Amino acid sequence: MSLAIETHRLTRYFEKFCAVDEIDLRVEPGTFYGFLGPNGAGKSTTIKMLTGLLAPSDGEIYVLGRNMLHPKQALEAKSRIGVIPEGLALFDNLTAREYLTFVGRMYLLPREIIQRRSEELLSLLDLAREDKKLTIEYSHGMKKKLALAAALLPNPDLLFLDEPFEGVDAVTSRIIRDLLANYVQRGSTVFLTSHVLEIVEKLCTHVGIIVKGKLVEQTSLESLRQGSSLEARFLEKAGVDREEGPKLTWLEERSS
């Protein structure tokens, strides 16, 4: 069976700056993969390359067994994935139903399936009562839920989520977590970036850690826990000294 995601020496330069440096990802089908790293480590750039939104400078990408650098194969892979991208990329002047209809038609879904799935998703995500609002009027949490609904609408085999929990309240976070857990239980794959390590520990089966563009760790969460906590390993790989935290000299002056 093909890997859900496989890369070989995947690299991306922005002029002379190397944002992603020869990373080799291996994501098994049916896993919940947490892709972690400090701000600016290369997480979003990697997702953009994996989903075909950004061309790599070098290397190979295979998604669901398809070569993403081959136009026809890339199109086949894109028809089987769902994405919550950085910045959400919603259309401000559409209602939620109009936006989901647009997404469904882009995936060539029959109209009756689009309507049925849209109603179920909007109801489950508590957006059905907001059907008269344009998305420009939505709160940040509501936009996150609509983006998740759009990603799930085509019933994809692989879901890419770039910071889906960022800026959402506890209720919305729980709804998203439960949906994603059920999604993986049925055998689908999730590739998630998040700064919330607690959520990663609760949801993910495997993790990869990227620091300054390099993949410095890739293992199952179970294996990682045997020697350390996720937070400890992440801080270690990110080069953070947990014993000597940052200090403000002017705060120390108050006690002297």
Side-chain angles (χ1 to χ4, degrees):
M1 180 183 294
S2 300
L3 293 170
I5 300 170
E6 182 178 9
T7 69
H8 301 283
R9 301 180 62 207
L10 181 61
T11 302
R12 175 67 197 199
Y13 279 91
F14 292 97
E15 295 183 351
K16 295 183 179 180
F17 173 68
C18 187
V20 176
D21 191 359
E22 295 190 351
I23 67 171
D24 296 327
L25 288 168
R26 292 180 61 86
V27 181
E28 298 281 348
T31 59
F32 203 130
Y33 191 100
F35 194 50
L36 311 177
N39 288 330
K43 301 185 299 298
S44 293
T45 299
T46 300
I47 281 191
K48 288 176 182 177
M49 289 190 288
L50 295 177
T51 56
L53 296 175
L54 185 66
S57 301
D58 196 7
E60 301 175 20
I61 308 170
Y62 296 91
V63 172
L64 300 173
R66 272 68 172 182
N67 185 348
M68 293 299 287
L69 303 184
H70 186 286
K72 184 177 180 180
Q73 292 188 39
L75 188 60
E76 292 175 359
K78 289 177 183 180
S79 71
R80 297 171 56 195
I81 67 174
V83 185
I84 296 183
E86 183 183 31
L88 300 181
L90 302 175
F91 293 142
D92 289 344
N93 293 318
L94 296 181
T95 66
R97 283 188 176 84
E98 288 171 341
Y99 179 68
L100 292 180
T101 298
F102 167 78
V103 170
R105 295 303 293 160
M106 289 294 291
Y107 279 92
L108 303 179
L109 296 176
R111 292 189 182 276
E112 59 272 17
I113 290 181
I114 296 173
Q115 183 177 359
R116 175 168 55 83
R117 291 181 182 176
S118 294
E119 293 303 323
E120 188 172 349
L121 284 163
L122 292 174
S123 176
L124 191 62
L125 292 168
D126 197 27
L127 292 174
R129 293 174 296 177
E130 309 293 342
D131 62 335
K132 303 299 182 184
K133 284 186 177 180
L134 301 178
T135 57
I136 196 172
E137 303 174 78
Y138 276 16
S139 68
H140 183 73
M142 291 167 65
K143 288 180 178 180
K144 285 279 186 178
K145 289 192 286 187
L146 179 56
L148 177 61
L152 290 172
L153 182 72
N155 194 20
D157 296 317
L158 173 59
L159 201 55
F160 290 94
L161 307 176
D162 196 350
E163 296 290 352
F165 299 99
E166 184 180 38
V168 301
D169 59 46
V171 174
T172 300
S173 177
R174 180 57 184 267
I175 291 171
I176 294 175
R177 280 166 46 195
D178 289 347
L179 264 178
L180 295 179
N182 290 333
Y183 176 77
V184 174
Q185 284 174 5
R186 64 152 204 178
S188 298
T189 308
V190 171
F191 188 91
L192 162 83
T193 73
S194 179
H195 289 113
V196 187
L197 297 185
E198 179 185 1
I199 288 176
V200 172
E201 285 198 285
K202 287 181 178 179
L203 288 176
C204 293
T205 58
H206 294 72
V207 294
I209 300 175
I210 185 172
V211 177
K212 295 180 180 178
K214 289 188 174 291
L215 189 65
V216 296
E217 181 80 87
Q218 185 168 219
T219 186
S220 70
L221 199 57
E222 183 179 354
S223 297
L224 187 148
R225 285 197 185 106
Q226 292 177 3
S228 177
S229 69
L230 176 59
E231 181 183 27
R233 182 66 64 88
F234 176 76
L235 293 176
E236 174 191 341
K237 293 296 183 180
V240 176
D241 187 343
R242 293 182 298 139
E243 299 299 326
E244 284 291 331
K247 295 180 180 179
L248 294 172
T249 56
W250 51 267
L251 286 181
E252 295 176 359
E253 293 171 1
R254 294 182 58 185
S255 59
S256 61

